[in-house]
Amino acid sequence: LAVVLAILNQACASTAVLEYAQHLLRDVGVTSQHQADSMAIAVSGAKALGVAFGLLLVRRIGRKPLLGWGGFVSALALVLVALGAACVEPKTLLLGLCVFILVFVATWGNGYWVVVTEVTAPGGPDYGASSQAAATATMFAAGWVTSLTFVSIVEAGGAWALLIYAGISAFMGVFAFGMLPETRGLSLEECAAAVAAASSRGRKRSAQAVDSDSESQFSDTSSSDMADSCHE
């Protein structure tokens, strides 16, 4: 869970958007360096607000809705970014960038570190710390790859290529609601039990799916054998 969270945290272009905000603004006709700098400052201000809101939200909202709705709203904001870039509307693009950064930082940006600590609790002091370190290394690697490829993807696919990152953000919401155990208000020991229970339920569902497939294949084989016998 921690490693998947780390990859999603960066694969939605959360860091790349900040790094290449001025590049996106230039593409929609913002040629004045002063205007581009002012807009980039607005995006950075949205990040600062996101940090402040995130500190409040993480104490008041459960982990699943925090990351779930954070992913969905971030996806909508990235659709707005793509729309602004495609229609060459600097204001729409800037609004989308600010909303995306504010929402992402307030939810996944802050919540990620809390959730990773909680979902690695089953590993105990030793393995839990190692798992957190692995997740952090994965997150930085994912961020590097995303930043490295961001401009190339946008230039190759045009403005609508930004919808790729919107899709990843939407999947973040699905993953949070579907896979994360709710750990708000629990001690680390209780978090470990909750994560273990969620993992157990996941293994049971997988086993049931395999059994169902096996039964279906057996039934199909039996039906085929009976049909062949009747034909003879």
Side-chain angles (χ1 to χ4, degrees):
L1 286 176
V3 170
V4 175
L5 288 170
I7 294 172
L8 293 175
N9 184 286
Q10 293 296 308
C12 65
S14 56
T15 300
V17 161
L18 280 173
E19 293 175 347
Y20 296 107
Q22 290 195 359
H23 177 89
L24 294 172
L25 291 169
R26 281 197 301 271
D27 286 347
V28 296
V30 180
T31 56
S32 168
Q33 188 61 47
H34 175 71
Q35 187 179 9
D37 289 341
S38 299
M39 290 182 169
I41 290 172
V43 175
S44 298
K47 181 179 180 179
L49 285 176
V51 172
F53 283 131
L55 293 175
L56 297 174
L57 289 175
V58 77
R59 293 178 176 273
R60 292 172 170 78
I61 299 178
R63 310 303 187 232
K64 291 167 75 75
L66 178 68
L67 299 191
W69 288 113
F72 290 138
V73 177
S74 293
L76 292 175
L78 284 173
V79 171
L80 191 62
V81 171
L83 182 64
C87 297
V88 195
E89 290 286 345
K91 291 182 179 179
T92 302
L93 175 63
L94 179 62
L95 177 62
L97 289 172
C98 289
V99 172
F100 170 67
I101 291 300
L102 191 154
V103 172
F104 175 85
V105 172
T107 56
W108 279 76
N110 283 357
Y112 165 81
W113 299 102
V114 177
V115 172
V116 164
T117 300
E118 294 171 344
V119 300
T120 55
D126 296 328
Y127 293 108
S130 300
S131 299
Q132 292 169 31
T136 301
T138 301
M139 184 182 70
F140 282 113
W144 177 75
V145 172
T146 305
S147 296
L148 185 68
T149 58
F150 181 80
V151 173
S152 299
I153 289 174
V154 173
E155 290 180 347
W160 294 115
L162 291 165
L163 293 178
I164 295 172
Y165 304 106
I168 294 172
S169 294
F171 177 74
M172 289 160 58
V174 173
F175 181 83
F177 278 120
M179 298 298 295
L180 282 184
E182 183 53 72
T183 53
R184 176 174 176 259
L186 303 181
S187 66
L188 288 180
E189 291 78 9
E190 292 169 332
C191 287
V195 172
S199 300
S200 178
R201 287 193 296 270
R203 286 193 295 269
K204 287 181 179 178
R205 284 195 295 266
S206 298
Q208 290 172 353
V210 171
D211 290 342
S212 178
D213 289 342
S214 299
E215 290 175 1
S216 177
Q217 291 174 2
F218 178 76
S219 177
D220 292 342
T221 302
S222 299
S223 299
S224 177
D225 290 344
M226 291 177 65
D228 291 342
S229 176
C230 290
H231 180 70
E232 291 175 359

PDB file of all heavy atoms in Angstrom, residues 8 11-13 71-72 74-79 82 100 160-175:
ATOM      1  N   LEU A   8       1.585   6.963  -6.845  1.00  0.00           N
ATOM      2  CA  LEU A   8       0.453   7.795  -7.230  1.00  0.00           C
ATOM      3  C   LEU A   8       0.655   9.248  -6.808  1.00  0.00           C
ATOM      4  O   LEU A   8       0.246  10.181  -7.515  1.00  0.00           O
ATOM      5  CB  LEU A   8      -0.836   7.247  -6.606  1.00  0.00           C
ATOM      6  CG  LEU A   8      -1.307   5.885  -7.125  1.00  0.00           C
ATOM      7  CD1 LEU A   8      -2.530   5.421  -6.337  1.00  0.00           C
ATOM      8  CD2 LEU A   8      -1.637   5.952  -8.611  1.00  0.00           C
ATOM      9  N   ALA A  11       2.905  10.457  -9.649  1.00  0.00           N
ATOM     10  CA  ALA A  11       2.523  10.155 -11.031  1.00  0.00           C
ATOM     11  C   ALA A  11       1.440  11.083 -11.565  1.00  0.00           C
ATOM     12  O   ALA A  11       1.258  11.203 -12.780  1.00  0.00           O
ATOM     13  CB  ALA A  11       2.056   8.705 -11.140  1.00  0.00           C
ATOM     14  N   CYS A  12       0.717  11.749 -10.676  1.00  0.00           N
ATOM     15  CA  CYS A  12      -0.329  12.684 -11.113  1.00  0.00           C
ATOM     16  C   CYS A  12       0.253  14.049 -11.489  1.00  0.00           C
ATOM     17  O   CYS A  12      -0.493  14.983 -11.766  1.00  0.00           O
ATOM     18  CB  CYS A  12      -1.370  12.856 -10.016  1.00  0.00           C
ATOM     19  SG  CYS A  12      -0.731  13.630  -8.516  1.00  0.00           S
ATOM     20  N   ALA A  13       1.581  14.159 -11.513  1.00  0.00           N
ATOM     21  CA  ALA A  13       2.293  15.385 -11.901  1.00  0.00           C
ATOM     22  C   ALA A  13       2.198  16.480 -10.852  1.00  0.00           C
ATOM     23  O   ALA A  13       2.290  17.667 -11.177  1.00  0.00           O
ATOM     24  CB  ALA A  13       1.798  15.906 -13.246  1.00  0.00           C
ATOM     25  N   GLY A  71      -8.269  12.971  -4.441  1.00  0.00           N
ATOM     26  CA  GLY A  71      -7.946  12.478  -5.781  1.00  0.00           C
ATOM     27  C   GLY A  71      -8.970  12.909  -6.815  1.00  0.00           C
ATOM     28  O   GLY A  71      -8.623  13.361  -7.914  1.00  0.00           O
ATOM     29  N   PHE A  72     -10.257  12.797  -6.477  1.00  0.00           N
ATOM     30  CA  PHE A  72     -11.308  13.137  -7.435  1.00  0.00           C
ATOM     31  C   PHE A  72     -11.326  14.634  -7.759  1.00  0.00           C
ATOM     32  O   PHE A  72     -11.454  15.028  -8.925  1.00  0.00           O
ATOM     33  CB  PHE A  72     -12.676  12.704  -6.905  1.00  0.00           C
ATOM     34  CG  PHE A  72     -12.866  11.215  -6.878  1.00  0.00           C
ATOM     35  CD1 PHE A  72     -13.468  10.593  -5.794  1.00  0.00           C
ATOM     36  CD2 PHE A  72     -12.443  10.424  -7.932  1.00  0.00           C
ATOM     37  CE1 PHE A  72     -13.654   9.218  -5.770  1.00  0.00           C
ATOM     38  CE2 PHE A  72     -12.616   9.049  -7.922  1.00  0.00           C
ATOM     39  CZ  PHE A  72     -13.223   8.440  -6.825  1.00  0.00           C
ATOM     40  N   SER A  74      -8.832  16.723  -7.412  1.00  0.00           N
ATOM     41  CA  SER A  74      -7.594  17.016  -8.145  1.00  0.00           C
ATOM     42  C   SER A  74      -7.761  16.664  -9.618  1.00  0.00           C
ATOM     43  O   SER A  74      -7.264  17.379 -10.501  1.00  0.00           O
ATOM     44  CB  SER A  74      -6.428  16.228  -7.551  1.00  0.00           C
ATOM     45  OG  SER A  74      -6.119  16.673  -6.237  1.00  0.00           O
ATOM     46  N   ALA A  75      -8.462  15.560  -9.893  1.00  0.00           N
ATOM     47  CA  ALA A  75      -8.704  15.162 -11.283  1.00  0.00           C
ATOM     48  C   ALA A  75      -9.527  16.229 -12.010  1.00  0.00           C
ATOM     49  O   ALA A  75      -9.230  16.593 -13.160  1.00  0.00           O
ATOM     50  CB  ALA A  75      -9.423  13.816 -11.325  1.00  0.00           C
ATOM     51  N   LEU A  76     -10.562  16.742 -11.352  1.00  0.00           N
ATOM     52  CA  LEU A  76     -11.382  17.787 -11.964  1.00  0.00           C
ATOM     53  C   LEU A  76     -10.559  19.049 -12.225  1.00  0.00           C
ATOM     54  O   LEU A  76     -10.722  19.704 -13.264  1.00  0.00           O
ATOM     55  CB  LEU A  76     -12.574  18.115 -11.063  1.00  0.00           C
ATOM     56  CG  LEU A  76     -13.628  17.019 -10.908  1.00  0.00           C
ATOM     57  CD1 LEU A  76     -14.687  17.440  -9.892  1.00  0.00           C
ATOM     58  CD2 LEU A  76     -14.281  16.708 -12.249  1.00  0.00           C
ATOM     59  N   ALA A  77      -9.680  19.379 -11.298  1.00  0.00           N
ATOM     60  CA  ALA A  77      -8.826  20.559 -11.478  1.00  0.00           C
ATOM     61  C   ALA A  77      -7.886  20.379 -12.663  1.00  0.00           C
ATOM     62  O   ALA A  77      -7.646  21.321 -13.434  1.00  0.00           O
ATOM     63  CB  ALA A  77      -8.031  20.823 -10.198  1.00  0.00           C
ATOM     64  N   LEU A  78      -7.364  19.171 -12.850  1.00  0.00           N
ATOM     65  CA  LEU A  78      -6.474  18.919 -13.986  1.00  0.00           C
ATOM     66  C   LEU A  78      -7.239  18.941 -15.308  1.00  0.00           C
ATOM     67  O   LEU A  78      -6.674  19.302 -16.345  1.00  0.00           O
ATOM     68  CB  LEU A  78      -5.759  17.580 -13.802  1.00  0.00           C
ATOM     69  CG  LEU A  78      -4.614  17.605 -12.780  1.00  0.00           C
ATOM     70  CD1 LEU A  78      -4.076  16.201 -12.543  1.00  0.00           C
ATOM     71  CD2 LEU A  78      -3.490  18.525 -13.248  1.00  0.00           C
ATOM     72  N   VAL A  79      -8.513  18.541 -15.291  1.00  0.00           N
ATOM     73  CA  VAL A  79      -9.340  18.693 -16.484  1.00  0.00           C
ATOM     74  C   VAL A  79      -9.464  20.181 -16.832  1.00  0.00           C
ATOM     75  O   VAL A  79      -9.406  20.568 -18.011  1.00  0.00           O
ATOM     76  CB  VAL A  79     -10.738  18.075 -16.264  1.00  0.00           C
ATOM     77  CG1 VAL A  79     -11.672  18.438 -17.417  1.00  0.00           C
ATOM     78  CG2 VAL A  79     -10.631  16.560 -16.144  1.00  0.00           C
ATOM     79  N   ALA A  82      -6.244  21.236 -18.451  1.00  0.00           N
ATOM     80  CA  ALA A  82      -6.205  20.799 -19.846  1.00  0.00           C
ATOM     81  C   ALA A  82      -7.098  21.670 -20.725  1.00  0.00           C
ATOM     82  O   ALA A  82      -6.734  22.031 -21.854  1.00  0.00           O
ATOM     83  CB  ALA A  82      -6.632  19.335 -19.945  1.00  0.00           C
ATOM     84  N   PHE A 100      -5.731  22.757  -8.345  1.00  0.00           N
ATOM     85  CA  PHE A 100      -5.074  21.450  -8.266  1.00  0.00           C
ATOM     86  C   PHE A 100      -4.032  21.423  -7.154  1.00  0.00           C
ATOM     87  O   PHE A 100      -4.019  20.501  -6.319  1.00  0.00           O
ATOM     88  CB  PHE A 100      -4.416  21.101  -9.600  1.00  0.00           C
ATOM     89  CG  PHE A 100      -3.524  19.883  -9.523  1.00  0.00           C
ATOM     90  CD1 PHE A 100      -4.064  18.626  -9.280  1.00  0.00           C
ATOM     91  CD2 PHE A 100      -2.149  20.000  -9.667  1.00  0.00           C
ATOM     92  CE1 PHE A 100      -3.242  17.504  -9.198  1.00  0.00           C
ATOM     93  CE2 PHE A 100      -1.331  18.889  -9.589  1.00  0.00           C
ATOM     94  CZ  PHE A 100      -1.874  17.639  -9.349  1.00  0.00           C
ATOM     95  N   TRP A 160      -4.375  18.258 -24.441  1.00  0.00           N
ATOM     96  CA  TRP A 160      -5.271  17.228 -23.907  1.00  0.00           C
ATOM     97  C   TRP A 160      -4.508  16.061 -23.305  1.00  0.00           C
ATOM     98  O   TRP A 160      -5.108  15.214 -22.634  1.00  0.00           O
ATOM     99  CB  TRP A 160      -6.230  16.743 -24.985  1.00  0.00           C
ATOM    100  CG  TRP A 160      -7.189  17.793 -25.435  1.00  0.00           C
ATOM    101  CD1 TRP A 160      -7.278  18.355 -26.669  1.00  0.00           C
ATOM    102  CD2 TRP A 160      -8.189  18.442 -24.641  1.00  0.00           C
ATOM    103  NE1 TRP A 160      -8.269  19.318 -26.693  1.00  0.00           N
ATOM    104  CE2 TRP A 160      -8.849  19.378 -25.472  1.00  0.00           C
ATOM    105  CE3 TRP A 160      -8.602  18.322 -23.314  1.00  0.00           C
ATOM    106  CZ2 TRP A 160      -9.888  20.195 -25.020  1.00  0.00           C
ATOM    107  CZ3 TRP A 160      -9.634  19.131 -22.859  1.00  0.00           C
ATOM    108  CH2 TRP A 160     -10.271  20.051 -23.693  1.00  0.00           C
ATOM    109  N   ALA A 161      -3.193  15.990 -23.544  1.00  0.00           N
ATOM    110  CA  ALA A 161      -2.396  14.942 -22.902  1.00  0.00           C
ATOM    111  C   ALA A 161      -2.388  15.107 -21.387  1.00  0.00           C
ATOM    112  O   ALA A 161      -2.108  14.155 -20.652  1.00  0.00           O
ATOM    113  CB  ALA A 161      -0.957  14.963 -23.433  1.00  0.00           C
ATOM    114  N   LEU A 162      -2.718  16.306 -20.929  1.00  0.00           N
ATOM    115  CA  LEU A 162      -2.810  16.535 -19.487  1.00  0.00           C
ATOM    116  C   LEU A 162      -3.913  15.701 -18.846  1.00  0.00           C
ATOM    117  O   LEU A 162      -3.919  15.494 -17.629  1.00  0.00           O
ATOM    118  CB  LEU A 162      -3.048  18.018 -19.214  1.00  0.00           C
ATOM    119  CG  LEU A 162      -1.866  18.955 -19.532  1.00  0.00           C
ATOM    120  CD1 LEU A 162      -2.324  20.404 -19.584  1.00  0.00           C
ATOM    121  CD2 LEU A 162      -0.758  18.774 -18.508  1.00  0.00           C
ATOM    122  N   LEU A 163      -4.845  15.223 -19.668  1.00  0.00           N
ATOM    123  CA  LEU A 163      -5.912  14.368 -19.140  1.00  0.00           C
ATOM    124  C   LEU A 163      -5.368  13.037 -18.633  1.00  0.00           C
ATOM    125  O   LEU A 163      -6.025  12.350 -17.851  1.00  0.00           O
ATOM    126  CB  LEU A 163      -6.973  14.127 -20.214  1.00  0.00           C
ATOM    127  CG  LEU A 163      -7.789  15.357 -20.642  1.00  0.00           C
ATOM    128  CD1 LEU A 163      -8.771  14.982 -21.731  1.00  0.00           C
ATOM    129  CD2 LEU A 163      -8.514  15.964 -19.440  1.00  0.00           C
ATOM    130  N   ILE A 164      -4.174  12.664 -19.083  1.00  0.00           N
ATOM    131  CA  ILE A 164      -3.528  11.455 -18.549  1.00  0.00           C
ATOM    132  C   ILE A 164      -3.349  11.591 -17.045  1.00  0.00           C
ATOM    133  O   ILE A 164      -3.655  10.677 -16.270  1.00  0.00           O
ATOM    134  CB  ILE A 164      -2.164  11.220 -19.223  1.00  0.00           C
ATOM    135  CG1 ILE A 164      -2.353  10.914 -20.715  1.00  0.00           C
ATOM    136  CG2 ILE A 164      -1.392  10.096 -18.525  1.00  0.00           C
ATOM    137  CD1 ILE A 164      -1.046  10.863 -21.487  1.00  0.00           C
ATOM    138  N   TYR A 165      -2.880  12.758 -16.632  1.00  0.00           N
ATOM    139  CA  TYR A 165      -2.645  12.994 -15.207  1.00  0.00           C
ATOM    140  C   TYR A 165      -3.960  13.141 -14.454  1.00  0.00           C
ATOM    141  O   TYR A 165      -4.045  12.774 -13.279  1.00  0.00           O
ATOM    142  CB  TYR A 165      -1.754  14.228 -15.037  1.00  0.00           C
ATOM    143  CG  TYR A 165      -0.451  14.105 -15.787  1.00  0.00           C
ATOM    144  CD1 TYR A 165      -0.226  14.812 -16.962  1.00  0.00           C
ATOM    145  CD2 TYR A 165       0.539  13.235 -15.352  1.00  0.00           C
ATOM    146  CE1 TYR A 165       0.964  14.678 -17.667  1.00  0.00           C
ATOM    147  CE2 TYR A 165       1.725  13.088 -16.048  1.00  0.00           C
ATOM    148  CZ  TYR A 165       1.929  13.810 -17.208  1.00  0.00           C
ATOM    149  OH  TYR A 165       3.095  13.658 -17.916  1.00  0.00           O
ATOM    150  N   ALA A 166      -4.988  13.657 -15.145  1.00  0.00           N
ATOM    151  CA  ALA A 166      -6.313  13.717 -14.529  1.00  0.00           C
ATOM    152  C   ALA A 166      -6.836  12.305 -14.280  1.00  0.00           C
ATOM    153  O   ALA A 166      -7.444  12.023 -13.237  1.00  0.00           O
ATOM    154  CB  ALA A 166      -7.280  14.491 -15.424  1.00  0.00           C
ATOM    155  N   GLY A 167      -6.582  11.405 -15.225  1.00  0.00           N
ATOM    156  CA  GLY A 167      -6.997  10.012 -15.047  1.00  0.00           C
ATOM    157  C   GLY A 167      -6.287   9.347 -13.886  1.00  0.00           C
ATOM    158  O   GLY A 167      -6.895   8.586 -13.115  1.00  0.00           O
ATOM    159  N   ILE A 168      -4.998   9.640 -13.744  1.00  0.00           N
ATOM    160  CA  ILE A 168      -4.242   9.087 -12.613  1.00  0.00           C
ATOM    161  C   ILE A 168      -4.794   9.622 -11.297  1.00  0.00           C
ATOM    162  O   ILE A 168      -4.936   8.880 -10.313  1.00  0.00           O
ATOM    163  CB  ILE A 168      -2.740   9.421 -12.756  1.00  0.00           C
ATOM    164  CG1 ILE A 168      -2.158   8.704 -13.977  1.00  0.00           C
ATOM    165  CG2 ILE A 168      -1.975   9.032 -11.489  1.00  0.00           C
ATOM    166  CD1 ILE A 168      -0.741   9.107 -14.312  1.00  0.00           C
ATOM    167  N   SER A 169      -5.133  10.893 -11.269  1.00  0.00           N
ATOM    168  CA  SER A 169      -5.706  11.487 -10.055  1.00  0.00           C
ATOM    169  C   SER A 169      -7.042  10.837  -9.709  1.00  0.00           C
ATOM    170  O   SER A 169      -7.339  10.583  -8.531  1.00  0.00           O
ATOM    171  CB  SER A 169      -5.896  12.996 -10.233  1.00  0.00           C
ATOM    172  OG  SER A 169      -4.650  13.649 -10.356  1.00  0.00           O
ATOM    173  N   ALA A 170      -7.858  10.574 -10.735  1.00  0.00           N
ATOM    174  CA  ALA A 170      -9.134   9.905 -10.488  1.00  0.00           C
ATOM    175  C   ALA A 170      -8.904   8.497  -9.923  1.00  0.00           C
ATOM    176  O   ALA A 170      -9.620   8.059  -9.011  1.00  0.00           O
ATOM    177  CB  ALA A 170      -9.949   9.837 -11.778  1.00  0.00           C
ATOM    178  N   PHE A 171      -7.899   7.807 -10.455  1.00  0.00           N
ATOM    179  CA  PHE A 171      -7.581   6.480  -9.929  1.00  0.00           C
ATOM    180  C   PHE A 171      -7.115   6.562  -8.474  1.00  0.00           C
ATOM    181  O   PHE A 171      -7.383   5.660  -7.677  1.00  0.00           O
ATOM    182  CB  PHE A 171      -6.500   5.819 -10.777  1.00  0.00           C
ATOM    183  CG  PHE A 171      -6.069   4.471 -10.254  1.00  0.00           C
ATOM    184  CD1 PHE A 171      -6.899   3.367 -10.392  1.00  0.00           C
ATOM    185  CD2 PHE A 171      -4.857   4.319  -9.598  1.00  0.00           C
ATOM    186  CE1 PHE A 171      -6.522   2.127  -9.895  1.00  0.00           C
ATOM    187  CE2 PHE A 171      -4.472   3.080  -9.098  1.00  0.00           C
ATOM    188  CZ  PHE A 171      -5.306   1.989  -9.250  1.00  0.00           C
ATOM    189  N   MET A 172      -6.442   7.650  -8.118  1.00  0.00           N
ATOM    190  CA  MET A 172      -6.038   7.853  -6.731  1.00  0.00           C
ATOM    191  C   MET A 172      -7.251   7.847  -5.810  1.00  0.00           C
ATOM    192  O   MET A 172      -7.223   7.281  -4.714  1.00  0.00           O
ATOM    193  CB  MET A 172      -5.269   9.178  -6.604  1.00  0.00           C
ATOM    194  CG  MET A 172      -3.886   9.139  -7.225  1.00  0.00           C
ATOM    195  SD  MET A 172      -3.217  10.802  -7.599  1.00  0.00           S
ATOM    196  CE  MET A 172      -3.261  11.578  -5.997  1.00  0.00           C
ATOM    197  N   GLY A 173      -8.330   8.502  -6.257  1.00  0.00           N
ATOM    198  CA  GLY A 173      -9.549   8.505  -5.462  1.00  0.00           C
ATOM    199  C   GLY A 173     -10.153   7.125  -5.333  1.00  0.00           C
ATOM    200  O   GLY A 173     -10.571   6.710  -4.247  1.00  0.00           O
ATOM    201  N   VAL A 174     -10.189   6.390  -6.448  1.00  0.00           N
ATOM    202  CA  VAL A 174     -10.723   5.025  -6.427  1.00  0.00           C
ATOM    203  C   VAL A 174      -9.888   4.139  -5.507  1.00  0.00           C
ATOM    204  O   VAL A 174     -10.430   3.355  -4.708  1.00  0.00           O
ATOM    205  CB  VAL A 174     -10.747   4.439  -7.858  1.00  0.00           C
ATOM    206  CG1 VAL A 174     -11.136   2.964  -7.830  1.00  0.00           C
ATOM    207  CG2 VAL A 174     -11.700   5.226  -8.734  1.00  0.00           C
ATOM    208  N   PHE A 175      -8.580   4.265  -5.596  1.00  0.00           N
ATOM    209  CA  PHE A 175      -7.679   3.456  -4.768  1.00  0.00           C
ATOM    210  C   PHE A 175      -7.882   3.755  -3.290  1.00  0.00           C
ATOM    211  O   PHE A 175      -7.927   2.841  -2.458  1.00  0.00           O
ATOM    212  CB  PHE A 175      -6.232   3.725  -5.170  1.00  0.00           C
ATOM    213  CG  PHE A 175      -5.229   2.920  -4.389  1.00  0.00           C
ATOM    214  CD1 PHE A 175      -4.921   1.622  -4.756  1.00  0.00           C
ATOM    215  CD2 PHE A 175      -4.578   3.457  -3.284  1.00  0.00           C
ATOM    216  CE1 PHE A 175      -4.004   0.871  -4.038  1.00  0.00           C
ATOM    217  CE2 PHE A 175      -3.663   2.720  -2.565  1.00  0.00           C
ATOM    218  CZ  PHE A 175      -3.371   1.418  -2.940  1.00  0.00           C
TER     219      PHE A 175
END
